[in-house]
Amino acid sequence: MRRSRRISAAVLFAAVALATVATTAKALTGAYWGYNNLSATNPPNATCSYNGRVWPAGFACSGWGNWDISWVDWTSGSGKFIFGFICQSDDSLHGPILNGAGGDVPAFYSTVYYADCPGHYNHAAVGHVGGTYNYLQAGKN
Amino acid sequence: MTSRLPRKRVTIIVGTLALAAIGSAVAVASSRTHASGASSPEFTVGRGTLVSPQLISSRAQSALSASGATGQLYLLGKQGDHAYYRDAQSDGNACYAVGSGTDITSVACLYSDQEMPAALIDMSTVVVRRSDAPNLHLESVEGIAADQVSAVGVERADGSIVTTPVSGNAYRFEPGAIPSDAVAIVALDETGKVLQTKEVG
């Protein structure tokens, strides 16, 4: 009788601990690139391409969708990068610019689709725009 | 060929906050927050005023949740029709966010255990046109500024700086006031000393 009570207590503790871990984790779903070094040469040219249009090396994107959220999980690096949304209307990538070496803190960033990108049909995207590299993962929701 | 480099591990994640614009004036009852540890932090930020999460859209709530924020929102300040917030993640770390109306436009959740590990949590945005990538063009300049920051400036190619004052830990340039030849965003203290420089050009 005593033995089964100790086993039951151990199982309960594990279940509680697991639940605690689950509730503190952010919802990092929808990754489309990384973790990898985002640089002037990675990913290769045409990794982000659609409708016959090609982005140069250093840019990655998701498929078309009505994405609300574009996010990056930055780990290390000292380059400059942009992430956000490629708007169908202007074939351009809009979003925050982050500089791994310039004082931007280590962080998980997300940006939300809004009216400045007309038409909700978009690509979530990330691109290297200067410096060396940044080791990160990019995704959308 | 790419190589995987060692990941710099930072221990704690911080959460921040975003919230919809409120019509009436809000008095920000701030108490300065400090990082844990024996030494005083270099940068601090106001606590802000707790606001109801019901003032933001369900999409905004989803964005906060996906970023790891709890949705317990503190309004730091407002600039025009934009609001600037902090939140606390379930593990106690901070996030910062920008809101427009009932929406959240950007969220940054920090891995640092400091409430404000830098002079700025910059949320400025750029546009990169596919036709001339990777050249970028500054579209907006805004974000969260530490208490020690008096003004935020945009440095032009000739070295001159155009500034905007910080109010309630928030800064924002009017779209028409952003120089087309911007090369950096700088944080300035009350003496004009540069506390942080972020290259954008």
Side-chain angles (χ1 to χ4, degrees):
Chain A
M1 181 73 75
R2 186 189 295 176
R3 188 179 190 180
S4 66
R5 284 180 187 162
R6 283 202 298 271
I7 293 173
S8 296
V11 170
L12 177 62
F13 178 79
V16 169
L18 187 63
T20 302
V21 169
T23 55
T24 56
K26 47 185 173 287
L28 288 178
T29 61
Y32 63 83
W33 193 83
Y35 291 91
N36 207 329
N37 288 324
L38 185 74
S39 69
T41 57
N42 190 55
N45 184 61
T47 295
C48 179
S49 62
Y50 47 85
N51 303 338
R53 300 174 181 179
V54 172
W55 284 75
F59 287 82
C61 60
S62 69
W64 284 115
N66 294 306
W67 308 116
D68 280 335
I69 299 169
S70 178
W71 58 261
V72 291
D73 189 11
W74 182 92
T75 301
S76 64
S78 58
K80 288 185 290 186
F81 68 98
I82 172 180
F83 78 100
F85 300 93
I86 294 174
C87 298
Q88 187 181 36
S89 59
D90 64 4
D91 204 22
S92 298
L93 173 53
H94 301 257
I97 177 171
L98 300 173
N99 188 336
D104 285 325
V105 299
F108 169 82
Y109 286 86
S110 66
T111 191
V112 183
Y113 167 82
Y114 54 99
D116 285 2
C117 190
H120 200 174
Y121 204 50
N122 59 63
H123 292 284
V126 63
H128 174 87
V129 293
T132 54
Y133 77 96
N134 286 281
Y135 188 78
L136 55 81
Q137 184 180 57
K140 81 292 181 196
N141 278 311
Chain B
M1 170 180 269
T2 62
S3 60
R4 178 172 177 166
L5 297 180
R7 295 171 63 173
K8 183 188 300 180
R9 190 38 85 188
V10 185
T11 51
I12 303 172
I13 298 175
V14 184
T16 81
L17 192 40
L19 191 61
I22 303 171
S24 57
V26 175
V28 178
S30 5
S31 59
R32 295 301 181 245
T33 60
H34 300 280
S36 58
S39 59
S40 297
E42 181 178 5
F43 300 113
T44 55
V45 66
R47 172 65 63 178
T49 301
L50 183 64
V51 295
S52 169
Q54 295 178 344
L55 292 174
I56 64 171
S57 66
S58 57
R59 183 173 70 184
Q61 292 175 13
S62 295
L64 288 171
S65 177
S67 302
T70 62
Q72 191 172 41
L73 311 176
Y74 291 82
L75 176 65
L76 289 171
K78 296 173 69 177
Q79 293 276 353
D81 60 349
H82 283 195
Y84 302 83
Y85 306 96
R86 59 182 296 275
D87 194 349
Q89 293 185 4
S90 55
D91 59 3
N93 293 344
C95 299
Y96 296 94
V98 179
S100 177
T102 59
D103 284 330
I104 298 302
T105 57
S106 288
V107 182
C109 291
L110 308 183
Y111 292 131
S112 170
D113 63 351
Q114 298 180 30
E115 290 279 346
M116 196 69 184
L120 301 177
I121 305 295
D122 185 65
M123 306 274 201
S124 300
T125 61
V126 300
V127 58
V128 175
R129 304 183 185 105
R130 187 184 58 83
S131 58
D132 70 348
N135 296 311
L136 56 87
H137 310 275
L138 199 56
E139 279 194 317
S140 73
V141 178
E142 63 180 337
I144 310 294
D147 298 328
Q148 292 74 17
V149 179
S150 221
V152 174
V154 174
E155 182 179 351
R156 305 184 64 169
D158 64 1
S160 63
I161 297 176
V162 179
T163 64
T164 191
V166 173
S167 175
N169 291 119
Y171 64 93
R172 182 188 181 196
F173 271 75
E174 290 299 318
I178 300 173
S180 60
D181 60 343
V183 296
I185 295 169
V186 296
L188 306 167
D189 70 8
E190 58 184 6
T191 70
K193 174 186 173 183
V194 176
L195 300 176
Q196 181 179 336
T197 300
K198 172 180 177 177
E199 295 182 0
V200 295

